[in-house]
Amino acid sequence: MTAETVATEQLEVWIDQGLCTGDGICAQYAPDVFELDVDGLAYVKGGDGELRHDAGSAVFVPLMAAKDVIDSAQECPGACIHVRRAGDGVEVYGPDAESS
């Protein structure tokens, strides 16, 4: 997936808390999308600012945060961040991403 594709495709992101190491890299890269909770694990948060605690709960990635979310998925030491296209559900970044 190229930067041009990211600019035109709606993405969703979710975190597998079972793999989260709590390093907080994601929250540093994209604080509007990720946040560490009191349990020390990272969660995604929606446009309303509320953390999504349900397993597999995804939020849309704001266009302005797309690069930071992708960087988070690529740099995450726990390999727990999943970024998928909203249109077809295909994971494009993260541990289950299709190989190009």
Side-chain angles (χ1 to χ4, degrees):
M1 180 175 253
T2 66
E4 293 79 26
T5 304
V6 169
T8 60
E9 294 240 21
Q10 178 67 63
L11 301 175
E12 297 176 315
V13 63
W14 65 279
I15 295 177
D16 181 344
Q17 279 76 30
L19 298 175
C20 181
T21 59
D23 286 271
I25 292 171
C26 57
Q28 292 174 1
Y29 274 110
D32 291 339
V33 179
F34 304 108
E35 186 174 318
L36 293 177
D37 204 2
V38 294
D39 61 4
L41 301 177
Y43 293 85
V44 293
K45 57 184 174 179
D48 59 2
E50 293 294 318
L51 300 184
R52 303 302 195 251
H53 289 98
D54 294 334
S57 184
V59 298
F60 288 112
V61 176
L63 182 58
M64 292 180 59
K67 182 181 181 327
D68 293 332
V69 168
I70 291 164
D71 289 345
S72 297
Q74 293 174 329
E75 299 294 325
C76 178
C80 65
I81 300 172
H82 301 262
V83 182
R84 65 185 176 216
R85 290 187 302 246
D88 61 9
V90 172
E91 185 162 322
V92 290
Y93 297 99
D96 299 329
E98 290 186 336
S99 298
S100 298

